[in-house]
Every structure is written in C-alpha cells, then in structure tokens.
Amino acid sequence: MTQWNQYAACKGRHSSSLSHLKEELTSRKLPPIFDRSSQTASRLLYATVHDAFGGSLHPFEAEHQLLPSYHLVYFPPDTKLSSLLPDGTDPLHSPGSPFHRRMWAGGEISFNDTILFKGDELSCHEHIDDVEVKSKVGEERVFVTINREIKYGTEKVQRGQRAAVVENRKLVFMRDRPRPADALEVQPSKRDVVKSPHEATLSRTLTPSLGLLFRFSALTFNAHRIHLDQAYCRDVEGHRNLLVHGPLSLVLMLHLLQSCLTAGAQAREGRKPDVIVHVEYRCLAPLYAEEELKVCLWQKHPFVWVTWIEGPDGGLAVRGTVTTAPAE
C-alpha cells in the first residue's frame, strides 16, 4: 500500500477505538519532505503580512534569510488531490471517523540556526509525538502533537545534524457537529471574555481580509475549507465566517515583534536587532475574516516578550511567550 493510500484509508473508517488512538497515530510513518532555501515564498509572505498591517510597521530585512515562523510556508506535503479529506485537509495526522473537524491548537518552536537563502536543499522530518483524548464521552477532542525538524541537506547527509528549526505543533480533532436544519440558525458563538492581564507595550489593529486568508492558504498549500468556503463554515462547522488560520496568527504576532526589535535596534545605532529563538503559543478562541483584531506585545524581561491577539470583543484569542537573544 502506498503512503497516500495508507493515510487515505482513514477516510473510510467508521470508528476509531479511542483506547488505541495513541498507539495507532504515534506509530504512523510520515514521509520526509524536501524543499530549498529560496526567498520566493518568504518574499510573498512578507509582502502580504506587512501590507495587512496597513503600512503601520517599521520595515525589516526579509530578503536574505528565513525569518522566525516563515518556515510555515515551506515543506507542504505532496498529498494527492484525490486523497484530501472532505474538509480539504490532508489525512496525514487524522485520527479518522468520527473526528472530521480539525483546528490548529497551538505549538512550540525553537529557532536554533539561521537558514540563508542560498538555494540549499532542506529536509523536514516529522512524526506524531503524542495523542491526548480530552472531554467527556460523546464530546471527545483528540489533540495530536506533531514534531517537525528542519535541517540542511538530504536525509543521508543530515543524520545526526542539529536541526535548524524544531517545531511541536498541536492539532485538535473534533466530532462532526449536528447540522442545523436552517443555516440561519447559526448564531455568533457566545463565550466568556478573558482579558489579558498585561497592558500592551505595543499594539496594532488590522482586519483580516478574504484576500489575506486566500493568500496564506495558497502559500501553505492548504485547502482547508474553513479558510476558503463561507457556506461550509456556516452550514457544516457552525461558524459565522471564514476562520483566520492558527499559524497565520503566529506569523502576525512574530511579524509585529520583529518590526519592534528592528526599530529598537536602529534607535540604538550600531546594534543589531535581537533574534527570536523560541516561541510557545496557544489558540484560545476563533478569529474571523473581516472582523477587527488587535496584535499586542508586552515586554516582560529584556529577552522575554508576551504576545497575544484580541478579538473584536477584546478577549484573548491567541497568546504566546517569545524568548529573544542578542544577535551574534
């Protein structure tokens, strides 16, 4: 059985034994993904995100090296179109039926070495590191943690080499939602509004457009319909509009921080900007297209930043902690 037939087989499963999910998923063999250190995808992402802030940010250099979080638009899985699941996602990490709804829950990334745009071959190796089933029977959520390591060279060349980027991303899979008899029954979801305990050192507001979501989907080779198909979002997933990508939220937060670090360094002539070396973040609530959001920073320590995104109600939607270090 080919790798894609093996993973696509989950499309036809009628049930997943929850007690066996961890063993089944963590033993799944995922193929390596290869890419090159080209600036094209990074240049397009920078142009898109910087403009989304409306020209309010200090520009920074993105032409010669891979910026923190920009690895997200590299190493797309070469999943066949026919192997995509009904919601447009690939089946690589899916626990199978009845957990058809997927969301991005957060992650943790270490940026160990700089990747320069010299056309070098890069490899990404990933495996499912952990699986947790939470909530009560009938409302289970399956949290799948994927470990990814990005290194220079081919698989043979890079064995034993320290990874330039190490990422642990967490996806959550949920049961199908009962479909409303009438799409008009879908109302804006109510939630407890949790505010950040910090007053932002720096913040910027923006309204994610349909074009921003489309471009990020295209750059990440992501056909997930919650970012592209408004009728699907409303009628199947029960959302009032398209959802902002979880990884796009991370890019927005680190883009603002990178701009802040660059502006701060230029104000102190002769000093290079501090570099981002680690980030940990969680997605707490949905963010929607065409609804204003606020990206915020608070400097906890000279080399520790708290970053978050507020939804239109002022509540926390994403929050994270970033560690920086002096440039060498």
Side-chain angles (χ1 to χ4, degrees):
M1 179 180 289
T2 67
Q3 63 188 42
W4 298 122
N5 287 338
Q6 176 186 351
Y7 302 140
C10 70
K11 294 167 66 175
R13 287 195 307 222
H14 298 292
S15 176
S16 290
S17 173
L18 302 191
S19 61
H20 296 151
L21 275 180
K22 183 169 184 175
E23 179 180 358
E24 175 189 346
L25 288 170
T26 55
S27 62
R28 187 176 290 178
K29 302 298 182 182
L30 303 178
I33 310 170
F34 300 98
D35 212 327
R36 288 195 174 274
S37 58
S38 164
Q39 68 170 235
T40 302
S42 286
R43 177 172 50 80
L44 294 173
L45 180 59
Y46 177 89
T48 297
V49 173
H50 207 73
D51 188 65
F53 279 98
S56 65
L57 299 188
H58 192 286
F60 51 89
E61 199 280 317
E63 294 290 319
H64 299 100
Q65 65 186 47
L66 190 66
L67 297 173
S69 78
Y70 276 40
H71 71 285
L72 293 165
V73 298
Y74 293 79
F75 306 102
D78 57 347
T79 311
K80 294 179 180 178
L81 185 63
S82 59
S83 295
L84 294 178
L85 300 176
D87 66 352
T89 61
D90 66 69
L92 288 171
H93 315 110
S94 171
S97 184
F99 301 102
H100 294 137
R101 297 164 58 216
R102 190 185 86 174
M103 297 281 282
W104 192 283
E108 180 178 7
I109 312 170
S110 295
F111 305 101
N112 299 323
D113 293 316
T114 300
I115 295 177
L116 300 175
F117 294 139
K118 294 184 177 181
D120 297 310
E121 187 171 43
L122 304 171
S123 58
C124 176
H125 300 267
E126 67 175 25
H127 67 273
I128 296 174
D129 188 60
D130 193 24
V131 177
E132 294 180 279
V133 180
K134 298 183 179 181
S135 198
K136 62 184 179 181
V137 175
E139 298 180 6
E140 298 93 344
R141 296 185 173 202
V142 181
F143 289 84
V144 178
T145 302
I146 303 107
N147 174 268
R148 307 182 101 218
E149 294 191 349
I150 297 171
K151 300 181 179 182
Y152 277 102
T154 63
E155 184 175 12
K156 291 182 179 179
V157 171
Q158 55 76 42
R159 285 188 183 277
Q161 180 189 37
R162 184 175 82 153
V165 178
V166 177
E167 177 184 9
N168 285 292
R169 60 177 59 168
K170 184 167 288 189
L171 306 177
V172 57
F173 294 86
M174 297 162 287
R175 290 179 178 269
D176 291 336
R177 175 183 173 275
R179 192 163 184 170
D182 189 332
L184 295 178
E185 294 179 15
V186 179
Q187 300 294 329
S189 56
K190 296 181 179 180
R191 68 181 182 98
D192 294 331
V193 176
V194 178
K195 302 276 188 175
S196 171
H198 310 296
E199 184 174 348
T201 306
L202 176 68
S203 66
R204 291 290 186 273
T205 59
L206 64 95
T207 300
S209 65
L210 301 184
L212 173 62
L213 269 60
F214 172 80
R215 280 195 171 191
F216 193 76
S217 289
L219 284 168
T220 53
F221 203 54
N222 180 4
H224 198 176
R225 294 171 68 183
I226 62 173
H227 310 303
L228 300 167
D229 185 337
Q230 289 175 309
Y232 175 86
C233 274
R234 181 182 63 246
D235 300 342
V236 178
E237 297 274 358
H239 292 287
R240 58 181 178 266
N241 204 346
L242 301 180
L243 275 74
V244 176
H245 312 66
L248 176 55
S249 301
L250 174 65
V251 172
L252 293 174
M253 294 190 298
L254 294 192
H255 197 93
L256 178 61
L257 178 55
Q258 189 71 57
S259 175
C260 177
L261 295 173
T262 302
Q266 291 187 0
R268 299 184 294 275
E269 294 183 10
R271 179 175 173 180
K272 294 182 179 179
D274 292 342
V275 295
I276 297 170
V277 296
H278 184 266
V279 60
E280 185 173 1
Y281 67 103
R282 290 181 59 196
C283 299
L284 305 172
L287 291 166
Y288 292 100
E290 302 177 314
E291 294 186 13
E292 187 177 83
L293 58 83
K294 181 187 288 186
V295 187
C296 303
L297 298 173
W298 175 68
Q299 191 169 17
K300 180 179 181 181
H301 177 275
F303 300 110
V304 178
W305 295 78
V306 177
T307 181
W308 68 94
I309 298 181
E310 298 174 0
D313 58 3
L316 282 171
V318 188
R319 69 180 176 200
T321 302
V322 184
T323 303
T324 62
E328 296 181 356

